[in-house]
Amino acid sequence: KKYDDFAVCLNEKGAKMYGADWCTHCQEQKKMFGGSFKYVDYVDCDFNKDECSEKKVEGYPTWVINETDYRGVQSMQRLAYLSGCELPA
């Protein structure tokens, strides 16, 4: 799939997406990855309340990359820039 390597790279760099299944913006973000989303380190805050409150996640989605929070849907280009992972051509 197109974004498999990119999603695996994000995961290897420790990037995490915090969200919830009912969140429409999270669904929008997942759609960008298509089937490759399964490789993204995704934390569902409905089932991991402790981790999400510990990380002070206040809105969905929230990406944590290099110990920095990025709130809202992030473009693939921005995720690539923040993580140093290469987007497929």
Side-chain angles (χ1 to χ4, degrees), residues 12-81:
E12 285 170 352
K13 300 251 177 155
K16 261 188 192 185
M17 178 182 148
Y18 293 87
D21 288 342
W22 50 263
C23 156
T24 53
H25 295 296
C26 301
Q27 288 162 10
E28 186 185 328
Q29 184 79 74
K30 288 178 182 179
K31 272 191 195 121
M32 290 180 183
F33 282 91
S36 305
F37 189 78
K38 66 181 177 223
Y39 298 111
V40 171
D41 191 354
Y42 171 64
V43 178
D44 186 325
C45 290
D46 284 341
F47 300 101
N48 300 281
K49 288 185 183 2
D50 292 349
E51 182 176 348
C52 292
S53 62
E54 189 182 304
K55 293 282 184 194
K56 297 179 174 56
V57 174
E58 290 171 4
Y60 306 139
T62 294
W63 285 87
V64 179
I65 302 171
N66 298 323
E67 305 300 312
T68 305
D69 292 11
Y70 300 93
R71 295 205 182 138
V73 175
Q74 303 297 321
S75 70
M76 298 304 244
Q77 289 78 7
R78 183 147 167 81
L79 290 171
Y81 171 76

